[in-house]
Amino acid sequence: MAATGFAAQSILRRVVPSFLSTRPTRVVGDFFSGTNLILRTPLHPSAFGICSLPQAIKGDADILLKGVGDKNTIEDVKRIVELAKRASLRREVLHTDFLTPPVLKESMLVLERLADLKTVAQGGYPEAERCRLSVGHAEALTSDPDNVAALSISGNFSFQPCSHGDFLGAILGTGIARNKLGDILLQGEKGAHVLVVPELSDFLVSALDKVGNVSVSCKKIPLLALEYEPPSTKSSKSIEASLRLDAVASAGFKVSRTKMASLISNGDVRVNWSTVTKSNTTIKTGDMISVSGEGRLKIGEISSTRKGKFAVELIRYL
């Protein structure tokens, strides 16, 4: 985990002066550069924000979780830390199901602070949104695990085009849980490519026979055969008196604020993949807003106007 090492080194360089003493009591090696540092008192790894796995689980886990920025992800991140504990102690590699981007991000930020742990995120292709996280002791996780499978769903969609939601609904209709399913890559009239956990690929091949009203066939394909194009987007700007969710989303999706407030209260709106039911939720740059039946909207740059309002960049996914 090179990133962790560099981050820890930076922290060490900043905090070590406060521990320097004209009356040294012990000398330890600087494990980043090989030089010696004279320290006043024994230092615990957590003084640098780095924990060993057993220490983190016993006491510092709560401290680590306090640093989670998206509070809606805390329970998921906690379970992943527990998974990491088992993997590290047993010297084995364990895998999560597919994670949403916020959970993946927060989990990686927490786990990279654990010195004896290695993590690998995989979604099947470089731009994947939903990814599985493999965790294990650094001595056990020595290569990228083979924990994502790809399927091709084909049919005649020339006269009956199906949306992302149609494919998702058909797959979930077979009884598969959402967290066992990764991204769905639409292929126009040909159908879609889908990422799943490998242990369920055979089941889907035999169980999925229809999407909407279109009969389909499903087969396994190599990850290298995935066809992916970046989604088309359209950007616009809106001047808003506030950064309330109902105001910004109504402008982005071009629906009335009353309708948007209703969609929010009914649980049809998600911010960063988490359902939000309060219209006065504050939106910020980088937020992803999803509305059932309407699509997705990303919040770009936000700046203040001379009149004290907000100029919001709205990036609509087409």
Side-chain angles (χ1 to χ4, degrees):
M1 298 171 61
T4 303
F6 289 127
Q9 183 175 8
S10 176
I11 295 171
L12 181 61
R13 300 302 184 201
R14 292 198 303 269
V15 303
V16 77
S18 64
F19 293 99
L20 292 176
S21 172
T22 57
R23 189 165 49 86
T25 58
R26 70 187 186 103
V27 178
V28 298
D30 177 355
F31 56 89
F32 297 119
S33 64
T35 59
N36 289 331
L37 298 174
I38 302 175
L39 305 178
R40 179 184 304 162
T41 57
L43 290 182
H44 199 276
S46 59
F48 302 128
I50 307 171
C51 309
S52 66
L53 226 300
Q55 170 201 343
I57 301 303
K58 290 177 181 177
D60 286 356
D62 290 338
I63 297 176
L64 292 174
L65 291 174
K66 286 181 180 178
V68 174
D70 186 343
K71 302 306 179 184
N72 294 321
T73 68
I74 287 181
E75 289 303 316
D76 289 322
V77 174
K78 185 176 181 180
R79 284 191 288 269
I80 293 170
V81 172
E82 290 288 346
L83 183 76
K85 170 195 174 182
R86 295 198 300 272
S88 181
L89 293 179
R90 298 174 184 174
R91 290 295 199 275
E92 61 184 357
V93 178
L94 298 176
H95 315 286
T96 69
D97 290 324
F98 284 96
L99 306 175
T100 61
V103 173
L104 178 64
K105 174 186 175 182
E106 297 292 352
S107 298
M108 293 288 282
L109 289 174
V110 169
L111 294 179
E112 72 178 6
R113 298 175 64 187
L114 304 177
D116 52 357
L117 189 77
K118 184 177 179 182
T119 61
V120 175
Q122 293 177 301
Y125 65 106
E127 294 84 3
E129 287 189 352
R130 296 173 63 85
C131 294
R132 299 188 74 183
L133 190 60
S134 299
V135 294
H137 193 279
E139 296 176 358
L141 186 51
T142 57
S143 61
D144 290 350
D146 183 16
N147 66 345
V148 178
L151 301 176
S152 175
I153 303 173
S154 57
N156 186 4
F157 294 95
S158 300
F159 303 103
Q160 292 184 325
C162 287
S163 66
H164 181 282
D166 293 326
F167 282 95
L168 176 61
I171 295 171
L172 298 184
T174 66
I176 289 181
R178 182 66 179 96
N179 57 8
K180 302 294 183 181
L181 181 66
D183 288 358
I184 298 174
L185 307 176
L186 299 181
Q187 304 296 310
E189 297 179 354
K190 296 184 292 183
H193 290 169
V194 179
L195 287 307
V196 297
V197 294
E199 57 267 26
L200 291 179
S201 56
D202 288 333
F203 170 76
L204 265 181
V205 167
S206 61
L208 187 64
D209 57 6
K210 185 171 287 189
V211 175
N213 294 320
V214 179
S215 296
V216 300
S217 61
C218 187
K219 66 177 182 179
K220 300 179 185 179
I221 60 173
L223 292 177
L224 291 177
L226 287 171
E227 297 180 14
Y228 172 77
E229 293 184 4
S232 299
T233 60
K234 182 178 180 180
S235 298
S236 62
K237 279 202 172 183
S238 179
I239 305 299
E240 302 295 333
S242 73
L243 296 176
R244 286 172 54 112
L245 173 60
D246 56 351
V248 175
S250 64
F253 290 103
K254 300 188 183 304
V255 300
S256 70
R257 190 163 173 173
T258 300
K259 179 180 179 181
M260 183 55 62
S262 177
L263 289 168
I264 294 170
S265 62
N266 290 336
D268 293 323
V269 177
R270 295 175 298 281
V271 177
N272 298 329
W273 291 269
S274 296
T275 300
V276 176
T277 57
K278 295 183 178 180
S279 294
N280 63 352
T281 299
T282 300
I283 296 303
K284 64 183 182 302
T285 296
D287 282 348
M288 183 74 75
I289 304 173
S290 306
V291 178
S292 299
E294 298 290 343
R296 296 186 300 167
L297 174 74
K298 186 174 183 178
I299 306 303
E301 182 181 354
I302 299 175
S303 58
S304 299
T305 68
R306 294 179 180 178
K307 296 184 178 180
K309 295 186 177 183
F310 300 94
V312 184
E313 181 184 15
L314 305 170
I315 306 170
R316 180 79 180 271
Y317 287 79
L318 304 178

